[in-house]
Amino acid sequence: MKILKFGGTSVGSAERMKSVAELIQSDEPEIVVLSAMSGTTNQLVQIAEKLYQNQNQEANALIDALHDKYKQVVEELYTTSEKKKQASELIAHHFDYIRAFTQDLFTIHEERAVLAQGELLSTALFQFFLEEHNIPSVLLPALNFMKIDENEEPDNDYIAKNLKAELEKYPDNKLFITQGYICRNAFGEIDNLKRGGSDYSASLIGAAADASEIQIWTDIDGMHNNDPRVVKNTYPIAELSFDEAAELAYFGAKILHPSSVQPAKQKNIPVRLLNTMQPDARGTIISNKTESGSIKAVAAKDGITAIKIKSGRMLLAYGFLRSVFEIFERYKTPIDMITTSEVAVSLTIDNPKHLQDILAEIMEFGQVEVDENQTIVCVVGDFIAERSGAGLKVFESLKNIPLRMISYGGSTNNISVLINTSDKVAALTSLNEGIFERNQNHA
Ligand code: ADP
Ligand code: ASP
Ligand code: MG
């Protein structure tokens, strides 16, 4: 079994959907995971905002505009009047469902139901297209098997059991289509795996189905060595280890959802990143192998808050860090980076939801300083083999950038620094020049 996930741009128009139908032709069993058509989830977010604010007229205008876009897709995607009719009725049904929320109380539960419509639409439209072309396939409702628990973590046993049950209903079928991103939560309600979550769906489904490979098809030819949205002259990396890819995804390489490497790593399933616009490009293979001794890539994660706690109680004491960490644990707020001196500890978080409560408790330990608008820049590679030179190259490249925190040695494949977000472009550009552009041996 192979898993093939196609992102928003890859299914972003009737034309693109037709190319996907070609790319999935195979003799092997496949589960194809689709995102919403590009732009749709953003538009659904906007609609939800209007509904929250009770601005029903504005919400209706946005809903109508999105509905019109889908009417156009239906016109372009199908040739037979039968399928056009079937698809028009289907989209009308979804948009009526969204419109109905203008009459009702709108809370986070309704918002999640609205956000799920994008993937429900793209997969249903794609399934109709396959039917029109007599390509045998089955549409599997992700809401029947994708589930998160009360901690918003995937319920792997449930997913494996229920996915298997769904697949067993169709023993003779080889091609399955399903929705990325959407799931049910511990209360059985519609929920999602957070923005960009279709990659995570693909990886969870791959792990649940013991797939031989997970392919993430997107609009770029693999994981690049630096953020192509920020820096010119980036290039694809042929091979990454699971750990390297996980660090890059977690620290901001948008091509992969932050958690999407873990399920594949656990089951040792190779993940291939491929480009729908250039299907023959080699892309990136993520596996348990790595090319040793090189700096592979740089990524940056914005929206970071740094907290410094200076405390006399830390001096020569044990148990201090535990007491600090317990506060973060209580507020379910993960810590990303941490540095310590004998009298102070600095740490970073990316979710400021409970910041005020956390600060109120931490202030009991001593003086607290908070810096917002910070960015973690993460340099990923094999730093064991290059131990004597890699750090130097990184810091030499960053010599003109004020560094708020440095983290080295936490793992053998990551050096991270914390900077002001306003210095991000300069930092990524300097690292590109200092590390990669002088290196002639890259892919
Ligand atoms: P999809 O809709 O297919 O999930 P995304 O927009 O989520 O696609 O991810 C692909 C985008 O990720 C690329 O177009 C690129 O701009 C961005 N990106 C950021 N960092 C990297 C990187 N290091 N390598 C490749 N792409 C990256
Ligand atoms: N459609 C969702 C989003 O835009 C999930 C995804 O594309 O991965 O965030
Ligand atoms: Mg994505």
Side-chain angles (χ1 to χ4, degrees):
M1 177 72 84
K2 281 195 176 157
I3 313 299
L4 286 78
K5 175 258 171 176
F6 292 87
T9 328
S10 305
V11 293
S13 65
E15 269 329 292
R16 302 269 19 116
M17 284 207 195
K18 291 178 193 174
S19 320
V20 170
E22 279 170 30
L23 288 170
I24 61 175
Q25 304 282 341
S26 157
D27 292 334
E28 254 191 87
E30 290 175 346
I31 302 178
V32 173
V33 179
L34 301 186
S35 293
M37 298 179 77
S38 55
T40 297
T41 311
N42 284 344
Q43 275 153 325
L44 293 170
V45 168
Q46 280 177 15
I47 290 168
E49 271 167 19
K50 298 292 173 204
L51 291 170
Y52 264 123
Q53 294 157 5
N54 262 323
Q55 298 181 346
N56 288 346
Q57 219 176 333
E58 287 85 346
N60 270 321
L62 291 172
I63 297 167
D64 289 345
L66 192 58
H67 192 170
D68 286 345
K69 210 177 119 183
Y70 276 82
K71 286 181 188 160
Q72 189 63 34
V73 173
V74 168
E75 275 312 306
E76 290 165 14
L77 190 56
Y78 308 103
T79 43
T80 60
S81 52
E82 184 207 338
K83 274 292 173 233
K84 282 189 188 180
K85 181 165 175 281
Q86 216 180 342
S88 301
E89 282 168 10
L90 174 109
I91 60 169
H93 166 78
H94 283 276
F95 283 97
D96 285 348
Y97 176 80
I98 302 173
R99 267 184 210 101
F101 290 113
T102 54
Q103 314 296 321
D104 241 336
L105 183 71
F106 200 77
T107 70
I108 189 158
H109 307 287
E110 285 74 27
E111 178 182 19
R112 290 169 182 154
V114 167
L115 296 188
Q117 300 309 307
E119 273 70 12
L120 292 169
L121 279 163
S122 63
T123 48
L125 292 177
F126 188 67
Q127 171 69 16
F128 283 160
F129 180 78
L130 297 176
E131 285 170 15
E132 191 178 54
H133 292 265
N134 298 317
I135 302 170
S137 72
V138 168
L139 181 58
L140 290 183
L143 297 178
N144 287 0
F145 59 88
M146 287 302 286
K147 192 162 191 266
I148 50 174
D149 62 19
E150 53 286 350
N151 295 317
E152 301 193 346
E153 292 295 328
D155 186 339
N156 291 319
D157 293 339
Y158 181 98
I159 297 170
K161 189 168 145 251
N162 287 278
L163 174 62
K164 193 161 167 263
E166 287 289 319
L167 294 173
E168 279 172 357
K169 288 187 202 163
Y170 312 95
D172 300 324
N173 186 70
K174 280 193 179 155
L175 176 60
F176 295 91
I177 313 298
T178 194
Q179 299 85 20
Y181 179 59
I182 63 174
C183 62
R184 294 212 180 260
N185 61 25
F187 310 101
E189 301 157 339
I190 298 180
D191 210 321
N192 61 63
L193 300 174
K194 309 268 160 45
R195 297 304 306 271
S198 297
D199 305 324
Y200 198 19
S201 302
S203 184
L204 290 165
I205 292 171
D210 281 317
S212 58
E213 181 170 294
I214 298 162
Q215 299 180 353
I216 307 286
W217 288 83
T218 180
D219 59 0
I220 190 164
D221 54 350
M223 177 74 81
H224 277 221
N225 66 313
N226 204 330
D227 193 329
R229 296 165 300 178
V230 179
V231 176
K232 289 194 205 107
N233 301 329
T234 62
Y235 55 83
I237 307 161
E239 282 181 29
L240 283 172
S241 70
F242 287 119
D243 288 343
E244 290 167 340
E247 302 259 22
L248 288 168
Y250 188 75
F251 288 110
K254 191 194 169 218
I255 187 170
L256 283 175
H257 178 279
S259 313
S260 60
V261 180
Q262 201 53 33
K265 181 189 166 181
Q266 264 168 7
K267 289 274 178 96
N268 193 16
I269 304 169
V271 180
R272 223 175 256 285
L273 308 182
L274 294 160
N275 188 351
T276 2
M277 324 286 168
Q278 250 180 284
D280 297 327
R282 163 162 77 153
T284 300
I285 174 106
I286 302 167
S287 71
N288 58 6
K289 287 199 256 56
T290 184
E291 187 196 336
S292 63
S294 60
I295 302 183
K296 297 276 182 61
V298 172
K301 182 170 170 179
D302 296 333
I304 303 293
T305 304
I307 303 164
K308 187 199 277 176
I309 310 144
K310 221 170 151 189
S311 170
R313 275 161 64 182
M314 202 173 157
L315 199 65
L316 298 174
Y318 51 83
F320 174 79
L321 284 177
R322 196 204 58 214
S323 325
V324 171
F325 289 159
E326 270 173 1
I327 298 171
F328 288 84
E329 193 182 333
R330 230 175 297 127
Y331 290 101
K332 294 192 175 165
T333 301
I335 296 168
D336 281 330
M337 255 177 105
I338 163 156
T339 56
T340 66
S341 78
E342 191 50 41
V343 289
V345 54
S346 273
L347 41 84
T348 70
I349 56 171
D350 67 355
N351 180 357
K353 192 170 159 199
H354 299 292
L355 183 61
Q356 291 317 319
D357 294 325
I358 290 171
L359 291 180
E361 293 198 32
I362 284 183
M363 276 171 190
E364 291 175 17
F365 290 104
Q367 261 172 285
V368 178
E369 271 174 43
V370 177
D371 289 316
E372 286 168 321
N373 300 321
Q374 304 288 298
T375 291
I376 295 177
V377 174
C378 164
V379 183
V380 163
D382 174 19
F383 294 116
I384 281 217
E386 279 212 3
R387 191 171 272 153
S388 55
L392 181 66
K393 263 195 214 166
V394 171
F395 294 114
E396 172 83 75
S397 309
L398 293 172
K399 64 176 183 270
N400 296 320
I401 312 282
L403 306 180
R404 165 81 168 73
M405 281 167 73
I406 296 173
S407 169
Y408 180 40
S411 79
T412 55
N413 52 29
N414 171 335
I415 297 177
S416 297
V417 295
L418 187 74
I419 59 172
N420 279 319
T421 301
S422 53
D423 291 326
K424 178 175 90 166
V425 176
L428 292 187
T429 309
S430 309
L431 284 167
N432 223 51
E433 286 162 4
I435 299 175
F436 302 112
E437 284 173 13
R438 283 185 211 149
N439 171 6
Q440 300 301 315
N441 298 326
H442 62 67

